[in-house]
Amino acid sequence: MKNSITMIDNRTNESYEFNIINATKGPSVVDISTFYKETGMFTYDPGFTSTASCKSDITFIDGDKGKLTYRGVEISELASKHSYMEVCYLLLNSKFPSKEESEDLDLELRHRGFLHEGLMNLFRAFPSNAHPMATLSSATSALSSFYYDHLDIEHEEEYQEMARRIIAKIPTIAAFAYRHSIGAPFIQPDIDRGFTENFLYMLRAYPGGKMHRNANGEDHIREIEVKALDTIFTLHADHEQNASTTTVRNVASTGAHPYVAISAGISALWGRAHGGANESVINQLKMIGSVDNVDAFIARAKDPDDDFRLMGFGHRVYKNFDPRAKALKGLQDQLKDELHLDSGLMQIASRIEEIALNDEYFIKRKLYPNIDFYSGVILTALKIPTSMFTPIFVIGRTVGWITQWIELKKDHKAKIARPRQLYLGK
Ligand code: ACO
């Protein structure tokens, strides 16, 4: 049997044969790279619903079964048994680190977390109420000017260094962007704190590195909070060729600096249909205001003449429960008592979930809660300001973007991303 597909142009009866490339998991693909040459036509697939834009061996999603793996390891295992640091190492190196490798990475990221003094001036140029995502994207782009000589790197160790630097600096940029947005002085990273704890520290500390202590004299940053945020970073670390990753790859395909490509990814992530949904979920829950109003908003979500959508529901790939959402729901239940989750918002969220999971409209369209539905409630419980929800997504996803960038750089057959169009003008 030939591993190919034949297409017939019914206008002329001409037939064309295209090879099928088998995937190790998931759907195979039809290689249509010669389609235009052979048929004189383009293919039309707005939103890339059926188009594979690259070959990859980093992350795999089985949307029908609700499964997600990084380098072949199930997300539930990564979230429950491994630290975010180990997950970063796994994504970048295709294997788990030894204890020593993990400690080395942790130490290196602590040292690389500081920003060039020149970059500090940039934050002050933004309006005082600038959204942290705007500042984060701009400052990440500006970072390329400090490492411009690294543009034409070719060696594995140079790629890895480029990756570790951006992973280390993004939390600092994000924290500074937030502090600027509330007019608070910047808090430099604390070399004695690990990656995730350091981020909470930079958000919460007072000048001079002083922290609030509770009545028992314990540090304001609790271990359980660090663990929860670490898990959230892991769950966001990579997700195949989503809109922001595709943006990173598109920009990188032109030969632009990797940090500019990541800045573009940050901008793409900001949209409400993508990473910005986590902020929108909480704003929507607050707007709904009470369990009594849920029915009316569900009716609006189902009304074809109303643009209103339930934020945190639906996904282009998952037509089953988002496994990241499942992990977060477990985490939410676990944290419920310890962190005094906001019961008002949680009650509204639970009611929405209950109705939607049993409603014909949502069942028929396979609309399940996605990761953003639960992450907002948990981040609220961690006292993370709402404007920082999407920057937190950025911190977790940076490793995925830069891993995808490395994969693209190493693919010597990769072409500049340059889609065609169906012209309907004059
Ligand atoms: N609420 C109500 N109806 C919805 C929702 C929703 N959240 N999502 C999809 N639908 C409906 C659409 O109206 C459409 O109905 P129709 O067939 O009657 O026209 C059908 O479900 C299919 O929707 P599409 O927009 O075609 O699905 P697509 O795969 O293009 O979009 C998306 C996926 C963007 C995530 C969409 O479900 C959405 O807007 N969800 C809300 C925003 C959100 O939570 N985004 C986060 C995604 S996860 C992430 O990026 C981390």
Side-chain angles (χ1 to χ4, degrees):
M1 192 178 58
K2 281 165 90 181
N3 206 24
S4 64
I5 196 163
T6 301
M7 288 172 95
I8 298 171
D9 184 338
N10 291 322
R11 299 167 305 179
T12 59
N13 251 348
E14 253 186 288
S15 71
Y16 305 96
E17 193 177 346
F18 297 98
N19 287 333
I20 292 174
I21 308 174
N22 292 328
T24 50
K25 278 185 203 161
S28 302
V29 304
V30 181
D31 181 357
I32 54 158
S33 53
T34 58
F35 193 86
Y36 173 55
K37 214 159 119 193
E38 291 189 34
T39 68
M41 287 184 283
F42 300 141
T43 57
Y44 181 61
D45 182 19
F48 305 117
T49 54
S50 300
T51 300
S53 60
C54 63
K55 293 176 182 170
S56 184
D57 64 9
I58 304 169
T59 294
F60 176 71
I61 303 170
D62 185 331
D64 292 328
K65 291 196 182 129
K67 288 207 176 295
L68 166 66
T69 55
Y70 301 160
R71 301 290 191 192
V73 186
E74 293 274 352
I75 193 68
S76 54
E77 185 183 331
L78 293 167
S80 59
K81 297 191 185 132
H82 296 275
S83 69
Y84 177 66
M85 208 71 334
E86 289 170 325
V87 170
C88 286
Y89 192 97
L90 172 71
L91 282 166
L92 287 167
N93 299 281
S94 306
K95 65 177 177 90
F96 282 116
S98 64
K99 191 168 175 291
E100 198 187 345
E101 285 163 336
S102 189
E103 284 168 5
D104 284 352
L105 178 61
D106 172 64
L107 193 65
E108 181 180 348
L109 295 193
R110 288 176 198 224
H111 282 92
R112 286 191 187 275
F114 296 87
L115 303 181
H116 192 289
E117 280 297 316
L119 196 64
M120 309 294 295
N121 298 325
L122 187 84
F123 291 97
R124 298 193 175 93
F126 283 89
S128 54
N129 59 351
H131 193 288
M133 281 297 282
T135 318
L136 177 55
S137 169
S138 308
T140 305
S141 179
L143 204 60
S144 63
S145 65
F146 294 91
Y147 302 98
Y148 187 66
D149 53 332
H150 292 52
L151 187 58
D152 289 319
I153 60 174
E154 287 296 337
H155 306 293
E156 181 65 27
E157 182 40 40
E158 290 173 316
Y159 292 139
Q160 294 288 340
E161 187 187 7
M162 190 65 112
R164 292 190 298 265
R165 183 188 301 113
I166 188 84
I167 292 167
K169 292 194 194 306
I170 285 281
T172 313
I173 298 176
F176 282 19
Y178 170 65
R179 300 208 54 124
H180 176 74
S181 76
I182 57 161
F186 301 136
I187 298 293
Q188 294 293 338
D190 178 354
I191 203 85
D192 291 331
R193 297 178 194 261
F195 184 88
T196 302
E197 184 189 339
N198 219 340
F199 175 66
L200 286 173
Y201 166 79
M202 287 186 282
L203 285 187
R204 294 179 183 175
Y206 290 90
K210 294 247 186 305
M211 293 291 294
H212 245 320
R213 290 183 184 273
N214 67 17
N216 302 326
E218 293 160 335
D219 209 47
H220 187 50
I221 300 172
R222 297 165 64 184
E223 215 177 305
I224 188 167
E225 295 178 297
V226 176
K227 174 76 192 84
L229 191 55
D230 204 76
T231 305
I232 286 175
F233 288 153
T234 291
L235 295 172
H236 287 91
D238 195 45
H239 213 230
E240 276 191 4
Q241 309 311 317
N242 55 81
S244 55
T245 301
T246 299
T247 303
V248 170
R249 279 187 178 257
N250 281 356
V251 175
S253 78
T254 69
H257 194 286
Y259 297 166
V260 174
I262 288 186
S263 161
I266 294 172
S267 300
L269 188 82
W270 194 4
R272 275 192 310 157
H274 194 11
N278 56 13
E279 187 176 335
S280 302
V281 167
I282 288 298
N283 291 337
Q284 194 170 83
L285 291 177
K286 285 180 185 159
M287 181 182 80
I288 294 172
S290 144
V291 172
D292 298 339
N293 300 331
V294 168
D295 286 346
F297 281 96
I298 296 269
R300 283 190 61 190
K302 290 161 54 176
D303 181 351
D305 298 323
D306 193 329
D307 283 343
F308 179 83
R309 282 192 171 198
L310 270 190
M311 287 294 124
F313 270 80
H315 197 276
R316 170 62 60 79
V317 185
Y318 293 118
K319 301 303 170 197
N320 199 321
F321 235 98
D322 178 342
R324 305 166 302 170
K326 230 183 215 171
L328 277 186
K329 189 166 165 46
L331 184 66
Q332 179 181 293
D333 294 343
Q334 203 183 319
L335 297 176
K336 211 168 182 173
D337 298 333
E338 290 217 45
L339 291 179
H340 314 295
L341 297 188
D342 182 335
S343 58
L345 290 187
M346 275 201 56
Q347 279 168 17
I348 299 170
S350 301
R351 182 71 186 133
I352 291 174
E353 187 188 348
E354 189 188 326
I355 296 181
L357 289 177
N358 294 295
D359 186 293
E360 176 64 17
Y361 174 93
F362 293 88
I363 294 170
K364 198 172 141 208
R365 290 168 181 77
K366 300 186 174 167
L367 300 170
Y368 289 85
N370 58 47
I371 186 168
D372 297 317
F373 188 70
Y374 298 105
S375 64
V377 177
I378 295 181
L379 291 172
T380 304
L382 295 179
K383 301 190 184 65
I384 302 278
T386 314
S387 65
M388 287 305 285
F389 289 5
T390 317
I392 280 176
F393 195 148
V394 170
I395 296 172
R397 180 58 56 85
T398 298
V399 66
W401 286 329
I402 200 76
T403 306
Q404 301 266 353
W405 172 81
I406 293 174
E407 190 174 71
L408 177 97
K409 277 290 274 188
K410 287 182 177 171
D411 178 0
H412 294 293
K413 288 196 178 146
K415 284 176 178 281
I416 183 171
R418 203 314 184 178
R420 303 295 195 142
Q421 65 175 6
L422 171 62
Y423 182 67
L424 297 174
K426 283 187 199 153

